[in-house]
Amino acid sequence: MALLASTSKLASGARPVAASRRTAVRVQATSRVDRYSKNDIIVSPSILSADFAKLGDEVRAIDQAGCEWVHIDVMDGRFVPNITIGPLIVEALRPVTDKVLDCHLMIVEPELRVADFAKAGADIISVHAEQSSTIHLHRVVNQVRTRAAAAARALARAQSQSQTQSGYRIKDLGVKAGVVLNPGTPLSTIEYVLDQVDLVLIMSVNPGFGGQSFIESQVAKIRELKKLCLEKGVNPWIEVDGGVTPANAWKVIDAGANALVAGSAVFKAPSYRDAINGIKASKKPVAAAVA
Ligand SMILES: O=C(CO)[C@H](O)[C@H](O)COP(=O)(O)O
Ligand SMILES: [Co+2]
């Protein structure tokens, strides 16, 4: 870990984007995502349920409460009915946390935005598989992977030329590519990109809003996905998003998921730490003894 962006400008009220442009940022040898083992359970709180009036504080709070990733729901009012976050917010949050910024793009034509999110500091960029989002799924997935490869080459060049000093900026090193399936979209849609992605995100609600109820039928889809990955000899992260709580997380963990998004279950809980730990430790309830 070489250089670290100053966050003091944030506290003094200066614009964080401008501040981070002037300052060298952390240059990493590997992706932030690679710090984590796929044998562990990752919790990625969705900031959609955070208090947007104090977003930086909310992200610091979940970071300190022990989350591994920060889930950022990007909605354009076209692919889904809601409009939320763009790359400027991702860029503003980048100096606030060193945790993985897990960007879920619920937008039309994500291919036009991948570069912006990568530049803003996203660690994972996940795009929807449905054709109402992108016509060229394979192409956009590879667009994300190409950025990662280009950034790795740039880092190698920078290191050989001792350019990792102030002013040299590599933010998109090791961007991981994810693909997302809506509850009604079959697994077969991603069969031919499964060997190209680092992460598959199974939606357990219809996308667009936080606080919805978990759709039980998606547990079987996660189990089927895990089986397909084993058959194909690939091992992407299996992430689940929507209605996940400490009470039901065990179902998706048991089915093979290792990254769990939780919005309302974390941000509406009295203790973020207890909610995150509760999701990780979620267990099937023991059946009550019959007298
Ligand atoms: O992508 C999403 C909605 O489209 C959100 O990530 C998801 O809904 C998380 O919120 P909650 O845990 O409250 O369901
Ligand atoms: Co999401």
Side-chain angles (χ1 to χ4, degrees), residues 46 71-73 104 106 201 203 241 261:
S46 163
H71 188 78
I72 301 178
D73 286 307
H104 174 193
M106 288 162 273
L201 170 51
M203 290 305 295
D241 185 5
V261 177

Side-chain angles (χ1 to χ4, degrees), residues 70-125:
V70 177
H71 188 78
I72 301 178
D73 286 307
V74 177
M75 305 184 187
D76 65 353
R78 294 178 68 206
F79 181 66
V80 290
N82 216 347
I83 299 179
T84 57
I85 292 168
L88 280 181
I89 305 291
V90 175
E91 183 159 16
L93 292 177
R94 184 65 286 169
V96 171
T97 181
D98 197 36
K99 300 285 171 77
V100 166
L101 297 183
D102 166 28
C103 296
H104 174 193
L105 270 47
M106 288 162 273
I107 62 176
V108 169
E109 296 182 320
E111 51 272 29
L112 302 182
R113 306 290 168 195
V114 162
D116 292 342
F117 282 95
K119 274 194 220 131
D123 296 294
I124 301 171
I125 300 179

Side-chain angles (χ1 to χ4, degrees), residues 114-257:
V114 162
D116 292 342
F117 282 95
K119 274 194 220 131
D123 296 294
I124 301 171
I125 300 179
S126 297
V127 299
H128 270 262
E130 293 78 22
Q131 288 213 334
S132 49
S133 175
T134 184
I135 297 171
H136 296 293
L137 179 62
H138 192 281
R139 178 180 291 158
V140 66
V141 161
N142 278 283
Q143 215 183 331
V144 180
R145 299 176 78 219
T146 304
R147 282 207 75 83
R153 283 196 300 276
L155 178 65
R157 241 185 352 260
Q159 282 173 340
S160 70
Q161 295 167 8
S162 302
Q163 281 185 337
T164 53
Q165 297 307 311
S166 178
Y168 196 91
R169 185 180 176 86
I170 300 169
K171 296 192 2 170
D172 50 353
L173 174 66
V175 179
K176 303 285 187 187
V179 65
V180 193
L181 288 173
N182 277 340
T185 307
L187 270 184
S188 55
T189 311
I190 58 167
E191 190 173 351
Y192 292 98
V193 292
L194 205 48
D195 61 339
Q196 307 283 303
V197 295
D198 303 292
L199 178 146
V200 179
L201 170 51
I202 301 293
M203 290 305 295
S204 43
V205 296
N206 285 296
F209 305 95
Q212 303 180 78
S213 298
F214 181 80
I215 300 173
E216 295 286 339
S217 62
Q218 300 308 296
V219 176
K221 194 196 259 182
I222 296 161
R223 211 177 288 285
E224 193 61 32
L225 170 62
K226 181 75 189 170
K227 193 165 151 252
L228 188 64
C229 290
L230 287 171
E231 281 167 12
K232 285 189 171 284
V234 294
N235 185 24
W237 288 95
I238 298 182
E239 189 174 37
V240 182
D241 185 5
V244 173
T245 69
N248 64 18
W250 64 270
K251 295 181 191 179
V252 299
I253 295 169
D254 182 62

Side-chain angles (χ1 to χ4, degrees), residues 275-287:
I276 291 167
N277 289 339
I279 289 167
K280 286 178 196 265
S282 178
K283 293 270 176 312
K284 183 177 183 175
V286 180

